[in-house]
Amino acid sequence: MELLKERIRKDGKVKGTDVLKVDSFLNHQMDVELFAEIGKEFKRRFAGCEINKILTIEASGIGIACVAAQYFHCPVIFAKKTQTKNIAGEVYTSKVYTSKVESFTHGRVYDIIVAKEFLGPGDKVLLIDDFLANGAALEGLAQLVKDAGAELVGAGIVIEKAFQPGGDRLRAKGLRIEALARVQSMNEETGVTFADD
């Protein structure tokens, strides 16, 4: 998606060789008009898949998923990283199913939780997230979909760090991943190089 790549080149900030800061438009301050274009592109790429639920993980994926959901005409579920008092009853959790999600950005391991009333057999689920690096978040979300007996259609990723193993590993397991910008390499001097440039 050329519009997204141009925005990354213009406003993204590279730290070292593995951190790409896009907080001025994607995951802190959010450019909702850009999100609309992202949502339209995900809809184009997953056209005809009969998606009836979008699943993401808190927090950075929520805004993107909500805007994208307008084009799919379906609700968004976000997996919570902690169980709260207002999640009552049965939940699908990576803790119960022995799958944990390690955040590359935060360097922490989380148990993710989705209430069973929102996800189950008959659902056709699209995963959406802002970044794909080591793939732990997508893997945890995919496990929740499987545990719920729902059908996993694929994953829409805004930015994939193609130089990290997550995307290749999950594609090898059969997960359809549509990444709108695939970063091949980056460093503070030269900026970002995209895989398909």
Side-chain angles (χ1 to χ4, degrees):
M1 186 177 165
E2 207 52 45
L3 175 69
L4 175 62
K5 290 183 198 174
E6 285 305 315
R7 191 64 181 273
I8 293 167
R9 286 185 189 107
K10 178 177 169 266
D11 295 327
K13 294 182 177 112
V14 176
K15 303 290 182 189
T17 58
D18 62 353
V19 175
L20 176 60
K21 288 180 60 69
V22 289
D23 54 357
S24 68
F25 63 93
L26 191 68
N27 55 19
H28 192 53
Q29 175 173 272
M30 297 180 279
D31 182 336
V32 178
E33 290 179 0
L34 176 63
F35 283 19
E37 295 304 314
I38 289 168
K40 287 177 194 173
E41 182 62 16
F42 284 145
K43 177 60 177 171
R44 185 186 72 76
R45 293 187 186 204
F46 289 98
C49 291
E50 300 177 10
I51 291 157
N52 72 333
K53 297 275 174 79
I54 290 176
L55 177 63
T56 190
I57 190 167
E58 67 177 347
S60 297
I62 296 173
I64 299 158
C66 287
V67 174
Q70 295 178 100
Y71 301 97
F72 289 92
H73 305 286
C74 71
V76 173
I77 305 163
F78 70 91
K80 295 187 177 201
K81 292 179 182 172
T82 55
Q83 187 157 359
T84 59
K85 290 180 182 180
N86 62 358
I87 299 181
E90 295 185 88
V91 294
Y92 298 105
T93 172
S94 55
K95 186 176 182 181
V96 172
Y97 297 105
T98 65
S99 172
K100 294 186 179 291
V101 173
E102 182 178 355
S103 169
F104 174 81
T105 308
H106 298 287
R108 290 186 54 197
V109 176
Y110 298 96
D111 294 313
I112 57 172
I113 300 163
V114 171
K116 288 186 176 183
E117 66 184 294
F118 302 126
L119 188 63
D123 287 328
K124 296 184 84 168
V125 181
L126 174 64
L127 306 178
I128 288 188
D129 209 355
D130 60 341
F131 272 95
L132 170 57
N134 64 19
L138 272 191
E139 204 160 32
L141 291 171
Q143 185 63 49
L144 290 180
V145 172
K146 180 181 176 186
D147 292 342
E151 179 184 341
L152 179 55
V153 172
I157 301 298
V158 180
I159 301 170
E160 177 182 353
K161 293 179 182 176
F163 58 89
Q164 290 186 307
D168 289 342
R169 185 171 49 79
L170 292 172
R171 286 181 181 97
K173 289 182 173 184
L175 178 58
R176 177 183 175 190
I177 299 172
E178 295 287 340
L180 304 186
R182 297 186 72 233
V183 175
Q184 186 65 48
S185 64
M186 58 187 186
N187 68 56
E188 293 179 32
E189 290 77 39
T190 59
V192 175
T193 303
F194 294 100
D196 52 359
D197 282 352

